[in-house]
Amino acid sequence: MRAGRSGLKPCDFETARLPTWIGEAPGIDGATLPAALAAYDCRNQRLAWLGLQADGFLQAARAAIARYGADRVALALGTSTSGILSTELAYRERGADGALPAWFDYRATHNTGSLTAFVREALGLRGPALTLSTACSSSAKVFAAAQRMMAAGLADAAIVGGVDSMCLTTLYGFASLQLTAPEPCRPCDAQRQGLSIGEAAAFALLERPGAASGDADGAGGVMLMSGRGSWESVGEVDGGADVVLMAQAKGWRTGLIPSSSWTVSPIARGPW
């Protein structure tokens, strides 16, 4: 905001030439997954991998796994688009009989469960894992899901997050509903003309209060947040303060963060 710079640009994604602006996360096209995870290669999983590596989150997650054990760290991730772009690209190459190309792997790319399978394998997790796909609420509901798993004694910590990547279905879908703005979006502006579609990956590490130290009174709950991408529908607005307030509200409501003793470490980077 101080530099007067935005992550939004005129739409030039793939073959889409729509009169709108988009927030495309940088570095995805050049990103590569570890060789052992190559089967998951798609835009969504690449974005997830970049998000995991942002700001030391991967190291923090692995430290928590070492501290609690791979079977005591839960995983809950939200997505709506998943790797649908892979299916869109595959349809361009379908044969005369309608068969999709041999390289296309629906289970490891397009399927909504592929995101969680990818992250679970990347981190070597063996605890409970699930994917939530409830449109815009997906990555909010994972916090509640994680809290329930920890409250039930199924886990001492949880890695939660959300990953949604750009695809033609989303761009043309929102454009067909006349919801996309022909200029950079202007939230809360009386003259606003619509939204700007973006993509992003964000993760949070939640630790049950007192789990690491055995502290019965629950002091010292921690929430570490990290992400990469572009803000959808907020343009140049810095969401840092909102993230902190949301984290406080969720933490107090779920009991993850005691009101008397808590730590919130919001970390984010990208083209705001």
Side-chain angles (χ1 to χ4, degrees), residues 122-246:
L123 296 177
L125 292 169
R126 298 195 302 271
L130 56 85
T131 302
L132 285 91
S133 186
T134 55
C136 299
S137 65
S138 301
S139 58
K141 288 191 173 185
V142 296
F143 284 88
Q147 186 274 334
R148 286 192 291 268
M149 285 189 280
M150 286 189 278
L154 299 176
D156 296 312
I159 293 170
V160 301
V163 185
D164 256 3
S165 52
M166 202 79 70
C167 65
L168 297 172
T169 299
T170 299
L171 286 170
Y172 280 101
F174 277 92
S176 70
L177 296 173
Q178 300 180 15
L179 296 175
T180 52
E183 61 181 12
C185 62
R186 295 183 289 169
C188 303
D189 192 308
Q191 303 303 316
R192 62 189 181 278
Q193 299 187 57
L195 56 79
S196 297
I197 299 295
E199 58 183 1
F203 294 94
L205 171 61
L206 312 177
E207 299 185 53
R208 183 165 57 83
S213 62
D215 186 0
D217 67 7
V222 175
M223 179 185 293
L224 172 66
M225 304 180 72
S226 176
R228 183 183 182 94
S230 60
W231 287 112
E232 177 176 347
S233 301
V234 295
E236 301 174 13
V237 176
D238 183 350
D242 292 336
V243 170
V244 173
L245 292 174
M246 180 182 71

Side-chain angles (χ1 to χ4, degrees), residues 38-102:
Y40 293 100
D41 190 34
C42 66
R43 186 175 188 84
N44 210 56
Q45 265 65 298
R46 290 185 185 186
L47 181 54
W49 184 238
L50 291 174
L52 285 171
Q53 296 178 86
D55 307 297
F57 185 83
L58 187 59
Q59 292 80 359
R62 286 173 172 165
I65 294 167
R67 186 160 58 249
Y68 299 110
D71 60 340
R72 294 296 299 170
V73 178
L75 178 65
L77 301 177
T79 186
S80 60
T81 60
S82 190
I84 193 172
L85 178 65
S86 295
T87 302
E88 294 171 346
L89 298 177
Y91 260 77
R92 295 178 184 173
E93 299 181 23
R94 63 189 185 279
D97 60 351
L100 296 173

